[in-house]
Amino acid sequence: MLQPELKLRRDKIRVLMAQQEIDAALITCNVNLIYTYGRVVSGYLYLPLNAPARLFIKRPNNIEGEHIYPIRKPEQLTDLLKECGLPLPTKLMLEGDELSYTEYTRLAACFPETTVVNGTPIIRKARSIKTDIEIEMFRRSGAAHAKAYERIPSVYQPEMTDRQLSIEIERLMRLEGCLGIFRTFGQSMEIFMGSLLAGDNATAPAPYDFALGGEGLDPSIPIGANGAMLQPGQSLMVDMGGNFNGYMGDMSRVFSIGKLPERAYAAHQTCLEIQEAVTEKAKPGAVCEDLYNTAIDMVTKAGFADYFMGAGQKAKFIGHGIGLEINEAPVLAPRMKQELEPGMVFALEPKIVLPGIGPLGIENSWAVTTDGVEKLTLCKEEIVELGEGDKVMIE
């Protein structure tokens, strides 16, 4: 990562720190290290308000450079800061919503004369407005994501289970460069790469705050494909996380096993129309709650409100911010008064689940521009009927 880009990101955090009279930040969680340093390390990035950042690193031991210092344990931090000629902070922020209690209290104890505050909201706010380079990363990820999805019909074979097809799609994603890991904010939403939901499995509620659930293959990861045979007349939704360069692009597409009832195509068209209406209104200054209400009004008039964002357990949002994690700001949901700003990137996912048929709808990633939004995931959006498969050789 280019140093000017990293400095731009760190300075965004500094601006917010200054507003709350915070003297320094101590950053150690992986996602925030990627954001401020450009890679994952084991150690601490110390970000003073008015001085260059310092990296105190435990592992790997082969990183050297200006303002980089080896460290064995956090209790060395105060002495090392003094050796650098830096005053100890009066007010220090830690990643309070991301660190374990033990780690947070240990780091706070290293600064006994300092007021320690939770800095996670500040870092997440800074990360919610993407730089030009970050948005370009999303564009590149979206192109690779679409390339993998376009090949899905070639790996389908009759009498597959949802698990078997999911494995083949995951392979396509990996061949295009997907890194695999699916990062989410919080400790309780684990999933492998993403999900494939077919038929009535899409109606199964899950404990996670995702748009749709699925039973999963095991109670230890209760979401996604459940191993059932794919049946004629079913729809299936592919929702694999597009992490090709650290940034979590989001895209869902619907396929069918043979033809579907006309009601399914009508439901899918309703979701496409919701996408068009919401993105038409999604300009800087648009209120997230208003965009959500636009979707609710449209799906109600179309007669599909009972099946919108779930058939039983319903998700209470139609979109969410994306970035280095899958659920950043903004969130398109009730009571969310946040306004869209240029540089925000979000996934919009109006979805309908019809019992006896399966999931319908769409999900794309969008960047907020100065006068509207840019679609970052460009791929065929109508329902694609799966047939005999092309049995192509994948290299």
Side-chain angles (χ1 to χ4, degrees):
M1 186 64 64
L2 297 175
Q3 287 303 316
E5 168 71 8
L6 295 175
K7 184 178 185 303
L8 175 61
R9 300 180 188 185
R10 294 193 290 261
D11 285 347
K12 288 169 60 181
I13 297 173
R14 286 186 174 107
V15 168
L16 299 174
M17 289 167 53
Q19 293 172 2
Q20 298 190 29
E21 300 181 335
I22 296 170
D23 303 305
L26 189 64
I27 296 169
T28 188
C29 294
N30 285 355
V31 168
N32 296 325
L33 284 169
I34 296 170
Y35 185 72
T36 56
Y37 180 59
R39 63 166 292 174
V40 171
V41 297
S42 176
Y44 312 94
L45 184 107
Y46 184 77
L47 183 65
L49 185 60
N50 298 308
R54 266 69 173 181
L55 182 68
F56 301 99
I57 189 165
K58 293 187 284 188
R59 294 181 300 274
N61 64 1
N62 61 345
I63 296 179
E64 298 178 346
E66 187 180 14
H67 303 318
I68 297 176
Y69 308 89
I71 193 172
R72 292 182 293 105
K73 56 184 180 179
E75 286 74 16
Q76 298 174 267
L77 281 167
T78 53
D79 287 340
L80 287 169
L81 290 174
K82 292 175 183 177
E83 291 176 15
C84 294
L86 293 175
L88 296 185
T90 301
K91 191 175 183 181
L92 173 72
M93 72 181 204
L94 302 176
E95 301 148 302
D97 293 335
E98 297 154 277
L99 294 170
S100 69
Y101 174 80
T102 299
E103 186 71 7
Y104 185 91
T105 55
R106 181 180 182 183
L107 291 175
C110 294
F111 298 85
E113 306 300 321
T114 297
T115 299
V116 178
V117 298
N118 178 15
T120 294
I122 284 178
I123 298 173
R124 282 175 62 81
K125 184 175 181 179
R127 282 173 35 200
S128 71
I129 307 297
K130 274 58 178 180
T131 67
D132 291 343
I133 286 180
E134 288 183 287
I135 292 175
E136 178 59 26
M137 299 286 271
F138 275 111
R139 291 190 188 104
R140 295 179 183 183
S141 183
H145 206 163
K147 191 174 180 181
Y149 273 31
E150 287 164 359
R151 301 191 68 189
I152 288 173
S154 73
V155 298
Y156 168 76
Q157 296 296 328
E159 300 185 357
M160 268 185 159
T161 65
D162 60 358
R163 181 179 69 89
Q164 289 170 329
L165 182 55
S166 180
I167 289 170
E168 294 302 317
I169 297 170
E170 290 160 18
R171 183 171 184 268
L172 291 177
M173 294 283 287
R174 294 287 281 139
L175 287 169
E176 293 301 332
C178 184
L179 301 176
I181 190 169
F182 188 94
R183 286 191 169 102
T184 60
F185 178 72
Q187 300 296 313
S188 300
M189 292 197 292
E190 301 167 323
I191 189 171
F192 180 72
M193 287 188 70
S195 69
L196 185 153
L197 293 172
D200 280 338
N201 186 39
T203 69
Y208 305 152
D209 190 20
F210 291 158
L212 300 179
E215 293 179 348
L217 296 168
D218 187 89
S220 64
I221 307 181
I223 193 163
N226 65 354
M229 188 74 71
L230 299 176
Q231 302 288 346
Q234 283 183 336
S235 67
L236 62 94
M237 179 174 287
V238 178
D239 185 5
M240 296 291 173
N243 178 9
F244 293 85
N245 48 32
Y247 284 83
M248 304 288 118
D250 221 352
M251 178 167 63
S252 298
R253 292 296 185 267
V254 174
F255 300 82
S256 68
I257 310 300
K259 294 292 183 183
L260 301 177
E262 285 304 314
R263 189 163 180 247
Y265 297 103
H268 189 75
Q269 182 61 33
T270 296
C271 292
L272 294 179
E273 292 170 0
I274 289 172
Q275 174 183 249
E276 182 177 1
V278 170
T279 54
E280 179 64 27
K281 295 181 178 183
K283 297 176 171 63
V287 177
C288 292
E289 180 183 46
D290 293 344
L291 299 177
Y292 175 82
N293 289 336
T294 294
I296 295 300
D297 289 345
M298 290 182 67
V299 79
T300 301
K301 291 176 182 177
F304 293 109
D306 290 344
Y307 308 105
F308 189 54
M309 305 305 289
Q313 177 178 287
K314 296 177 179 296
K316 299 301 181 181
F317 62 89
I318 60 161
H320 55 86
I322 53 178
L324 292 170
E325 292 173 308
I326 204 67
N327 47 350
E328 300 190 356
V331 180
L332 278 56
R335 298 176 297 281
M336 296 300 294
K337 303 300 183 181
Q338 184 175 21
E339 296 181 358
L340 297 186
E341 299 178 51
M344 286 181 169
V345 180
F346 64 91
L348 175 62
E349 51 178 328
K351 296 173 179 177
I352 292 169
V353 180
L354 296 180
I357 299 173
L360 293 311
I362 193 72
E363 181 175 24
N364 282 302
S365 299
W366 304 81
V368 183
T369 66
T370 56
D371 58 0
V373 289
E374 173 191 349
K375 186 186 291 186
L376 301 169
T377 42
L378 304 175
C379 188
K380 191 174 185 179
E381 297 186 352
E382 60 266 31
I383 299 171
V384 175
E385 183 177 343
L386 299 177
E388 291 297 321
D390 297 327
K391 298 185 180 180
V392 299
M393 181 64 67
I394 302 172
E395 299 178 355

